[in-house]
């Protein structure tokens, strides 16, 4: 009973830790509820290290944990929620440099307790998939434009129209965040909140949704959301101006200038707390500045504007196509990772506290054989389609010989890839067997344990190198996909050239147009059908585009040589590790014999 009561007290203390730290910041002295709410949520975001997680990384975490395949109303328990949060932070530590690593366990505890306090006040121990997506997508880092695009993808139907019932559900979930930080009276959910955002529009598309929520001012119930992002942008902005109230010689963050009093400026702390001096009053209109421009720069900018050298307004945000594009399907190249296996591996991580996985589903022999079968099946299908296509008799023998050579080259690459994988597996087993300590040696020579720990660290480094090699294999398969497309296009061009040689077309040889993609979408090239953003599309870029005339055989040989060199270096590393192990063991045994 004493242990249970102590454990219960520790759990309650962990739940209250974040809120106690937030109260210590004394945010309640801020007189404006919008700034007060934004400051509190920004504190929660930074304290839980969510400002380091981009929205694209969060979408990848949703996909890795299978949330994109679940209905919005599906309930998940606390243990699965903890697995999702753990995957987010473990992946974050992999991206961060070693000098900026975060405390994963502490971040998981803080965020999990905050989510349960905000969304599970009744203690049911279950949350809906939509609640998890709405909360994490709102609190994570990244651009607000990308966040709103992802949120709209969850609220719209297959035709790109927003479903008002889903938008109402989104407001119910996202407005629980201000309520969790004790700002419910100002920004709690009300029945007329959804219609107040879109009072007259009956059909809301993506661009209208973005214009409304990013307007100045935005809807009243969500006015704190863009302000939280502006706070993140101005935290380190320096203003070399003296505050007219506290007489601080410099300002950090926002700067406020009175529109009635001459040269009266306040720092953000004085303005948020309602301080005023002299003839200035809190009723005066203030202009918020998020950057500093010197008088000389202002003068040059004004002259440039008067002469028409610069536009008078900032460029608007980019327009996105209203119809959602279908996501690129790569299932026939790289099959998706089994969710159950991945979740079991992640649960093993959380329980053991290891920073990197010790075994991946990508290393299983059955999976490797399946990849080879898929590649062979796809190549055979393309060859059958090419054989059935009508071609001129003059080019038939030449095209057949070229296709036969290319298929032989692909088969050789597949055989080499299979041999490389078998060699990796053999060397891994030998290294594991060599690095296993025997009980007799461990008992007779205690210093051997320290040497074996160093060897295990070396082994972990080599396993990381193997993971990089697996990624190179994925890139090779993507290049093979591009080669298959090029083969098909080359055959079509030959047939078109032979058929239309008498009447050449003015547009012959023009490459097909590739749809443009937003520059902010670099971290997640593909998404599931549910988590695909509207306006985000495009096929795989051609891996072998080097002019109109290409040497495909040389490109494939270069790719194969690159993989072979990588594996050779890995083999050398493994052999050197084994030799070091044998030398250290012999030295220790000789020292023992001499002793």
């Amino acid at each position: 009973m004493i242990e249970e009561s102590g454990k219960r007290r520790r759990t309650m203390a962990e739940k209250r830790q974040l809120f106690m730290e937030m109260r210590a910041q004394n945010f309640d002295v801020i007189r404006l509820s919008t700034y007060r709410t934004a400051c509190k949520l920004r504190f929660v975001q930074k304290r839980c290290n969510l400002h380091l997680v981009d929205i694209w990384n969060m979408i990848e975490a949703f996909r890795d944990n299978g949330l994109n395949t679940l209905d919005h109303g599906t309930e998940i328990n606390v243990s699965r929620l903890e697995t999702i949060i753990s995957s987010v932070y473990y992946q974050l530590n992999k991206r961060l440099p070693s000098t900026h690593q975060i405390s994963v366990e502490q971040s998981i505890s803080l965020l999990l307790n905050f989510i349960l306090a905000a969304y599970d006040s009744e203690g049911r121990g279950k949350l809906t998939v939509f609640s998890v997506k709405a909360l994490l997508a709102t609190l994570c880092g990244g651009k607000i434009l990308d966040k709103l695009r992802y949120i709209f993808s969850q609220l719209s139907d297959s035709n790109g129209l927003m479903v008002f019932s889903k938008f109402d559900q989104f407001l119910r979930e996202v407005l629980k965040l201000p309520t969790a930080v004790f700002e419910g009276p100002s920004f709690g959910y009300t029945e007329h909140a959804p219609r107040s955002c879109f009072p007259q529009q009956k059909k809301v598309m993506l661009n209208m949704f973005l214009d409304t929520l990013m307007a100045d001012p935005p809807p009243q119930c969500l006015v704190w959301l863009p302000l939280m992002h502006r706070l993140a942008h101005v935290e380190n902005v320096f203003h070399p101006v003296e505050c007219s109230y506290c007489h601080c010689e410099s300002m950090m963050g926002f700067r406020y200038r009175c529109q009635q009093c001459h040269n009266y400026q306040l720092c953000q702390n004085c303005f948020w707390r309602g301080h005023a001096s002299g003839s200035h009053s809190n009723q005066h209109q203030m202009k918020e500045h998020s950057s500093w421009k010197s008088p000389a720069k202002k003068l040059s900018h004004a002259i440039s504007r008067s002469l028409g050298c610069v536009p008078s307004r900032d460029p608007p945000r980019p327009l996105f196509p209203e119809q959602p594009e279908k996501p690129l399907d790569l299932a026939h190249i790289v099959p998706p990772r089994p969710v159950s296996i991945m979740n079991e591996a992640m649960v093993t991580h959380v329980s053991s506290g290891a920073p990197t996985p010790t075994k991946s589903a990508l290393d299983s022999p059955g999976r490797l054989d399946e990849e080879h079968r898929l590649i062979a099946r796809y190549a055979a299908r393309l060859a059958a389609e090419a054989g059935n296509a009508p071609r001129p008799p003059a080019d038939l023998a030449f095209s057949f010989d070229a296709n036969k050579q290319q298929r032989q080259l692909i088969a050789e690459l597949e055989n080499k890839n299979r041999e490389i994988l078998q060699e990796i597996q053999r060397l891994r087993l030998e290294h594991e067997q060599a690095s296993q300590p025997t009980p007799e040696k461990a008992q007779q020579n205690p210093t051997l344990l320290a040497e074996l720990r160093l060897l295990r660290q070396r082994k972990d480094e080599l396993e990381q190198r193997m993971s990089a090699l697996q990624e190179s294999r994925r890139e090779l398969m993507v290049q093979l996909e591009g080669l298959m497309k090029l083969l098909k296009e080359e055959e079509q061009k030959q047939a078109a050239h032979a058929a239309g040689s008498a009447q050449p077309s003015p547009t012959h040889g023009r490459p097909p147009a590739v749809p443009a993609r937003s520059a902010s979408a670099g971290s997640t090239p593909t998404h599931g059908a549910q988590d695909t953003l509207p306006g985000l599309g495009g096929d795989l870029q051609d891996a072998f585009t080097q002019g109109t005339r290409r040497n495909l055989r040389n490109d494939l040989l270069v790719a194969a040589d690159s993989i072979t060199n990588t594996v050779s270096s890995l083999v050398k590393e493994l052999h050197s590790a084994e030799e070091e192990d044998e030398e250290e063991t012999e030295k220790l045994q000789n020292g023992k014999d001499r002793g």
Side-chain angles (χ1 to χ4, degrees):
M1 292 296 293
I2 297 177
E3 293 181 357
E4 292 181 357
S5 60
K7 184 177 181 180
R8 192 180 301 111
R9 284 196 298 269
R10 286 194 300 271
T11 304
M12 294 300 296
E14 291 177 355
K15 291 183 177 180
R16 291 194 299 263
Q17 179 182 355
L18 184 63
F19 296 100
M20 293 173 63
E21 293 180 2
M22 185 177 65
R23 284 195 177 95
Q25 299 295 320
N26 201 19
F27 291 123
D28 291 330
V29 300
I30 302 176
R31 63 189 182 95
L32 300 176
S33 60
T34 304
Y35 287 94
R36 189 168 60 244
T37 305
C39 288
K40 289 181 178 180
L41 291 178
R42 175 63 178 168
F43 172 79
V44 173
Q45 182 190 52
K46 294 181 65 176
R47 188 65 183 85
C48 295
N49 290 312
L50 282 177
H51 66 295
L52 302 174
V53 183
D54 192 79
I55 178 61
W56 305 107
N57 303 126
M58 192 63 72
I59 294 174
E60 284 298 323
F62 294 158
R63 292 185 68 250
D64 290 342
N65 289 274
L67 295 188
N68 59 320
T69 62
L70 300 178
D71 186 72
H72 284 172
T74 305
E75 291 185 339
I76 59 177
N77 54 24
V78 177
S79 61
R80 184 166 184 182
L81 175 61
E82 186 175 0
T83 301
I84 298 171
I85 298 174
S86 302
S87 67
V88 171
Y89 287 120
Y90 278 112
Q91 292 297 326
L92 172 62
N93 254 359
K94 290 181 181 179
R95 296 189 299 270
L96 294 176
S98 58
T99 55
H100 293 76
Q101 298 286 298
I102 65 170
S103 175
V104 174
E105 297 298 333
Q106 185 180 18
S107 300
I108 293 173
S109 176
L110 290 175
L111 180 57
L112 182 63
N113 289 323
F114 177 76
I115 293 176
L116 295 178
Y119 286 83
D120 190 30
S121 57
E122 299 178 356
R124 295 176 58 248
K126 293 184 178 181
L127 281 79
T128 63
V129 171
F130 189 75
S131 300
V132 176
K133 287 186 176 181
L135 180 141
L136 294 179
T138 303
L139 282 184
C140 70
K143 298 180 180 179
I144 186 173
L145 178 65
D146 297 331
K147 287 186 178 182
L148 295 178
R149 289 173 61 199
Y150 171 72
I151 290 172
F152 184 82
S153 70
Q154 304 298 302
L155 308 180
S156 58
D157 56 13
S158 59
N159 297 322
L161 289 174
M162 187 186 75
V163 182
F164 272 91
S165 59
K166 292 184 178 180
F167 180 69
D168 178 77
Q169 184 184 3
F170 167 71
L171 287 184
R172 289 177 184 270
E173 301 299 335
V174 78
L175 293 181
K176 290 180 181 178
L177 293 175
T179 304
V181 293
F182 315 107
E183 296 296 333
S186 301
F187 298 105
Y189 173 81
T190 58
E191 296 294 336
H192 63 277
R195 270 299 163 189
S196 65
C197 299
F198 303 96
Q200 299 177 354
Q201 294 85 355
K202 295 183 179 179
K203 294 183 178 180
V204 179
M205 307 291 284
L206 172 62
N207 292 306
M208 184 183 298
F209 180 81
L210 297 177
D211 290 338
T212 302
L213 268 65
M214 296 181 65
D216 189 14
Q220 180 60 31
C221 59
L222 295 174
V223 68
W224 51 269
L225 182 58
L227 179 58
M228 185 178 70
H229 287 78
R230 296 208 311 272
L231 282 174
H233 293 156
V234 302
E235 283 181 345
N236 298 318
V237 174
F238 176 76
H239 305 269
V241 181
E242 181 181 356
C243 178
S244 300
Y245 181 83
C246 66
H247 301 290
C248 179
E249 296 182 356
S250 60
M251 304 180 189
M252 294 292 291
F254 286 119
R255 173 171 55 91
Y256 297 89
R257 186 183 186 94
C258 182
Q259 301 298 294
Q260 300 182 21
C261 304
H262 175 67
N263 200 24
Y264 191 90
Q265 303 186 76
L266 293 176
C267 63
Q268 66 178 19
N269 290 332
C270 293
F271 175 75
W272 290 354
R273 286 159 176 77
H275 295 160
S277 61
S279 59
H280 176 72
S281 171
N282 290 332
Q283 304 302 321
H284 291 181
Q285 184 179 2
M286 304 289 288
K287 185 177 181 180
E288 183 181 272
H289 295 273
S290 58
S291 61
W292 163 256
K293 292 182 180 179
S294 62
K297 189 173 182 180
K298 290 180 181 178
L299 179 61
S300 64
H301 187 71
I303 295 175
S304 300
R305 286 177 55 185
S306 63
L307 296 177
C309 298
V310 295
S312 57
R313 294 182 301 176
D314 295 334
R317 62 163 185 82
L319 294 177
F320 302 100
E322 301 291 359
Q323 295 295 331
E325 297 184 6
K326 294 182 179 180
L328 186 63
D329 186 13
L330 296 180
H332 58 286
I333 304 176
V334 182
R337 283 177 288 179
V339 178
S340 59
I341 299 178
M342 194 282 305
N343 286 338
E344 292 175 1
M346 184 57 62
V347 171
T348 305
H349 275 317
V350 177
S351 60
S352 62
T356 56
T358 58
K359 186 175 182 181
S360 175
L362 293 174
D363 298 334
S364 59
R367 176 181 174 81
L368 300 179
D369 295 339
E370 181 67 21
E371 290 178 0
H372 291 299
R373 284 196 295 269
L374 287 171
I375 293 174
R377 189 186 309 162
Y378 190 66
R381 187 177 65 183
L382 288 180
E385 292 177 357
N388 296 330
R391 288 176 294 181
D395 298 335
L396 183 60
F398 174 78
S399 300
F400 179 79
D401 292 338
N403 289 336
K404 184 177 180 181
Q405 293 176 1
Q406 290 161 354
R407 286 196 298 271
Q408 290 177 354
L409 184 59
I410 292 174
E412 292 175 2
L413 284 175
E414 290 179 353
N415 292 332
K416 184 178 292 187
N417 191 16
R418 188 180 294 106
E419 293 174 359
I420 290 172
L421 294 175
Q422 292 175 357
E423 183 68 13
I424 290 174
Q425 188 69 19
R426 185 185 64 81
L427 292 174
R428 178 182 295 175
L429 292 175
E430 291 179 0
H431 185 72
E432 290 179 353
Q433 293 175 359
S435 60
Q436 289 292 335
T438 58
E440 293 79 6
K441 293 182 180 179
Q443 293 176 1
Q444 294 175 3
N445 193 353
T447 58
L448 183 61
L449 294 175
E451 299 294 334
L452 291 176
R453 291 192 190 98
L454 295 177
L455 292 176
R456 289 195 188 98
Q457 294 178 0
R458 182 66 175 171
K459 172 188 171 185
D460 294 337
E461 295 176 359
L462 295 177
E463 288 179 351
Q464 293 178 0
R465 292 282 302 277
M466 291 179 187
S467 300
L469 182 59
Q470 294 291 345
E471 188 65 25
S472 300
R473 288 181 54 248
R474 290 170 61 93
E475 294 177 0
L476 175 60
M477 286 186 284
V478 174
Q479 292 176 357
L480 290 176
E481 168 67 7
L483 174 61
M484 296 300 104
K485 292 183 179 179
L486 285 177
L487 293 178
K488 193 171 182 179
E489 291 176 1
E490 189 67 26
E491 293 172 358
Q492 294 175 356
K493 288 181 181 179
Q494 292 177 3
H497 179 71
S501 59
Q503 296 179 356
S505 176
T507 60
H508 181 70
R510 180 178 300 173
V514 180
R517 176 172 183 175
S518 174
S520 63
S523 57
T524 57
T526 56
H527 303 288
Q530 188 182 11
D531 287 331
T532 301
L533 297 180
L536 184 63
D539 296 330
L540 283 174
Q541 295 183 356
D542 193 352
F544 299 96
T545 53
Q546 297 180 3
T548 57
R549 300 183 62 87
R550 305 176 178 86
N551 192 336
L552 302 178
R553 181 182 180 88
N554 291 340
D555 291 336
L556 286 173
L557 290 176
V558 169
D561 291 341
S562 176
I563 294 181
T564 305
N565 293 335
T566 305
V567 174
S568 299
S569 63
L570 180 60
V571 171
K572 292 179 181 179
E573 293 281 351
L574 290 172
H575 281 303
S576 63
E578 292 175 359
E579 292 175 359
E580 291 176 2
D581 187 5
E582 293 175 358
E583 291 177 0
E584 291 297 329
T585 305
E586 290 178 0
K587 291 180 181 180
L588 292 174
Q589 189 65 32
N590 293 335
K592 178 184 175 182
D593 295 336
R594 292 174 183 176

mmCIF file of all heavy atoms in Angstrom, residues 452-467:
data_model
loop_
_atom_site.group_PDB
_atom_site.id
_atom_site.type_symbol
_atom_site.label_atom_id
_atom_site.label_comp_id
_atom_site.label_asym_id
_atom_site.label_seq_id
_atom_site.Cartn_x
_atom_site.Cartn_y
_atom_site.Cartn_z
ATOM 1 N N LEU A 452 35.238 -5.951 -24.708
ATOM 2 C CA LEU A 452 34.071 -6.381 -25.468
ATOM 3 C C LEU A 452 33.046 -5.266 -25.613
ATOM 4 O O LEU A 452 32.341 -5.180 -26.630
ATOM 5 C CB LEU A 452 33.428 -7.592 -24.773
ATOM 6 C CG LEU A 452 34.254 -8.876 -24.819
ATOM 7 C CD1 LEU A 452 33.578 -9.970 -24.019
ATOM 8 C CD2 LEU A 452 34.448 -9.333 -26.267
ATOM 9 N N ARG A 453 32.931 -4.387 -24.611
ATOM 10 C CA ARG A 453 32.017 -3.245 -24.750
ATOM 11 C C ARG A 453 32.462 -2.342 -25.884
ATOM 12 O O ARG A 453 31.632 -1.827 -26.654
ATOM 13 C CB ARG A 453 31.957 -2.453 -23.445
ATOM 14 C CG ARG A 453 31.271 -3.200 -22.307
ATOM 15 C CD ARG A 453 30.987 -2.271 -21.145
ATOM 16 N NE ARG A 453 30.542 -3.008 -19.976
ATOM 17 C CZ ARG A 453 31.314 -3.353 -18.963
ATOM 18 N NH1 ARG A 453 32.609 -3.018 -18.982
ATOM 19 N NH2 ARG A 453 30.837 -4.022 -17.930
ATOM 20 N N LEU A 454 33.770 -2.118 -25.986
ATOM 21 C CA LEU A 454 34.269 -1.295 -27.106
ATOM 22 C C LEU A 454 33.974 -1.960 -28.440
ATOM 23 O O LEU A 454 33.637 -1.278 -29.424
ATOM 24 C CB LEU A 454 35.779 -1.067 -26.951
ATOM 25 C CG LEU A 454 36.220 -0.250 -25.724
ATOM 26 C CD1 LEU A 454 37.729 -0.175 -25.654
ATOM 27 C CD2 LEU A 454 35.609 1.156 -25.791
ATOM 28 N N LEU A 455 34.114 -3.265 -28.482
ATOM 29 C CA LEU A 455 33.813 -3.963 -29.733
ATOM 30 C C LEU A 455 32.329 -3.870 -30.074
ATOM 31 O O LEU A 455 31.954 -3.775 -31.243
ATOM 32 C CB LEU A 455 34.229 -5.428 -29.618
ATOM 33 C CG LEU A 455 35.746 -5.687 -29.535
ATOM 34 C CD1 LEU A 455 36.021 -7.163 -29.334
ATOM 35 C CD2 LEU A 455 36.427 -5.190 -30.805
ATOM 36 N N ARG A 456 31.470 -3.923 -29.040
ATOM 37 C CA ARG A 456 30.032 -3.770 -29.324
ATOM 38 C C ARG A 456 29.725 -2.380 -29.878
ATOM 39 O O ARG A 456 28.866 -2.219 -30.751
ATOM 40 C CB ARG A 456 29.226 -4.001 -28.047
ATOM 41 C CG ARG A 456 29.201 -5.452 -27.596
ATOM 42 C CD ARG A 456 28.125 -5.686 -26.565
ATOM 43 N NE ARG A 456 28.212 -7.008 -25.995
ATOM 44 C CZ ARG A 456 28.799 -7.296 -24.833
ATOM 45 N NH1 ARG A 456 29.355 -6.330 -24.130
ATOM 46 N NH2 ARG A 456 28.833 -8.538 -24.374
ATOM 47 N N GLN A 457 30.402 -1.351 -29.339
ATOM 48 C CA GLN A 457 30.204 -0.010 -29.897
ATOM 49 C C GLN A 457 30.628 0.030 -31.354
ATOM 50 O O GLN A 457 29.960 0.648 -32.201
ATOM 51 C CB GLN A 457 30.992 1.016 -29.084
ATOM 52 C CG GLN A 457 30.491 1.196 -27.654
ATOM 53 C CD GLN A 457 31.322 2.189 -26.878
ATOM 54 O OE1 GLN A 457 32.277 2.748 -27.398
ATOM 55 N NE2 GLN A 457 30.975 2.401 -25.617
ATOM 56 N N ARG A 458 31.752 -0.639 -31.649
ATOM 57 C CA ARG A 458 32.191 -0.703 -33.047
ATOM 58 C C ARG A 458 31.164 -1.428 -33.908
ATOM 59 O O ARG A 458 30.890 -1.040 -35.050
ATOM 60 C CB ARG A 458 33.534 -1.431 -33.100
ATOM 61 C CG ARG A 458 34.138 -1.534 -34.486
ATOM 62 C CD ARG A 458 34.512 -0.183 -35.030
ATOM 63 N NE ARG A 458 35.195 -0.298 -36.301
ATOM 64 C CZ ARG A 458 35.488 0.714 -37.082
ATOM 65 N NH1 ARG A 458 35.136 1.938 -36.705
ATOM 66 N NH2 ARG A 458 36.118 0.537 -38.219
ATOM 67 N N LYS A 459 30.589 -2.462 -33.347
ATOM 68 C CA LYS A 459 29.564 -3.212 -34.082
ATOM 69 C C LYS A 459 28.346 -2.343 -34.356
ATOM 70 O O LYS A 459 27.767 -2.391 -35.449
ATOM 71 C CB LYS A 459 29.167 -4.433 -33.251
ATOM 72 C CG LYS A 459 27.972 -5.203 -33.814
ATOM 73 C CD LYS A 459 27.524 -6.258 -32.839
ATOM 74 C CE LYS A 459 26.207 -6.872 -33.294
ATOM 75 N NZ LYS A 459 25.671 -7.812 -32.313
ATOM 76 N N ASP A 460 27.941 -1.530 -33.377
ATOM 77 C CA ASP A 460 26.795 -0.636 -33.597
ATOM 78 C C ASP A 460 27.078 0.357 -34.716
ATOM 79 O O ASP A 460 26.187 0.671 -35.526
ATOM 80 C CB ASP A 460 26.461 0.122 -32.304
ATOM 81 C CG ASP A 460 25.965 -0.808 -31.225
ATOM 82 O OD1 ASP A 460 25.479 -1.896 -31.559
ATOM 83 O OD2 ASP A 460 26.058 -0.436 -30.040
ATOM 84 N N GLU A 461 28.307 0.869 -34.779
ATOM 85 C CA GLU A 461 28.655 1.791 -35.873
ATOM 86 C C GLU A 461 28.551 1.094 -37.225
ATOM 87 O O GLU A 461 28.073 1.678 -38.204
ATOM 88 C CB GLU A 461 30.066 2.334 -35.667
ATOM 89 C CG GLU A 461 30.208 3.210 -34.421
ATOM 90 C CD GLU A 461 31.648 3.645 -34.202
ATOM 91 O OE1 GLU A 461 32.523 3.254 -35.004
ATOM 92 O OE2 GLU A 461 31.886 4.368 -33.235
ATOM 93 N N LEU A 462 29.003 -0.160 -37.280
ATOM 94 C CA LEU A 462 28.917 -0.887 -38.545
ATOM 95 C C LEU A 462 27.467 -1.159 -38.919
ATOM 96 O O LEU A 462 27.105 -1.151 -40.101
ATOM 97 C CB LEU A 462 29.691 -2.198 -38.442
ATOM 98 C CG LEU A 462 31.216 -2.053 -38.257
ATOM 99 C CD1 LEU A 462 31.859 -3.409 -38.104
ATOM 100 C CD2 LEU A 462 31.830 -1.304 -39.441
ATOM 101 N N GLU A 463 26.616 -1.417 -37.925
ATOM 102 C CA GLU A 463 25.205 -1.618 -38.242
ATOM 103 C C GLU A 463 24.571 -0.356 -38.785
ATOM 104 O O GLU A 463 23.693 -0.408 -39.656
ATOM 105 C CB GLU A 463 24.458 -2.094 -36.989
ATOM 106 C CG GLU A 463 24.787 -3.514 -36.599
ATOM 107 C CD GLU A 463 24.051 -3.948 -35.344
ATOM 108 O OE1 GLU A 463 23.428 -3.075 -34.700
ATOM 109 O OE2 GLU A 463 24.097 -5.134 -35.017
ATOM 110 N N GLN A 464 25.004 0.805 -38.290
ATOM 111 C CA GLN A 464 24.507 2.055 -38.864
ATOM 112 C C GLN A 464 24.944 2.199 -40.317
ATOM 113 O O GLN A 464 24.193 2.681 -41.162
ATOM 114 C CB GLN A 464 24.989 3.243 -38.035
ATOM 115 C CG GLN A 464 24.391 3.289 -36.633
ATOM 116 C CD GLN A 464 24.921 4.451 -35.821
ATOM 117 O OE1 GLN A 464 25.729 5.227 -36.308
ATOM 118 N NE2 GLN A 464 24.472 4.555 -34.585
ATOM 119 N N ARG A 465 26.184 1.754 -40.589
ATOM 120 C CA ARG A 465 26.636 1.784 -41.982
ATOM 121 C C ARG A 465 25.773 0.858 -42.847
ATOM 122 O O ARG A 465 25.475 1.158 -44.011
ATOM 123 C CB ARG A 465 28.094 1.332 -42.044
ATOM 124 C CG ARG A 465 29.084 2.299 -41.397
ATOM 125 C CD ARG A 465 29.379 3.479 -42.315
ATOM 126 N NE ARG A 465 29.918 3.046 -43.596
ATOM 127 C CZ ARG A 465 31.197 2.765 -43.816
ATOM 128 N NH1 ARG A 465 32.079 2.892 -42.817
ATOM 129 N NH2 ARG A 465 31.604 2.385 -45.008
ATOM 130 N N MET A 466 25.375 -0.281 -42.278
ATOM 131 C CA MET A 466 24.508 -1.187 -43.028
ATOM 132 C C MET A 466 23.162 -0.546 -43.320
ATOM 133 O O MET A 466 22.588 -0.726 -44.401
ATOM 134 C CB MET A 466 24.303 -2.481 -42.234
ATOM 135 C CG MET A 466 25.554 -3.342 -42.120
ATOM 136 S SD MET A 466 25.234 -4.828 -41.145
ATOM 137 C CE MET A 466 26.892 -5.496 -41.011
ATOM 138 N N SER A 467 22.636 0.216 -42.350
ATOM 139 C CA SER A 467 21.370 0.910 -42.591
ATOM 140 C C SER A 467 21.497 1.895 -43.741
ATOM 141 O O SER A 467 20.592 2.035 -44.564
ATOM 142 C CB SER A 467 20.928 1.632 -41.318
ATOM 143 O OG SER A 467 20.757 0.728 -40.264
#
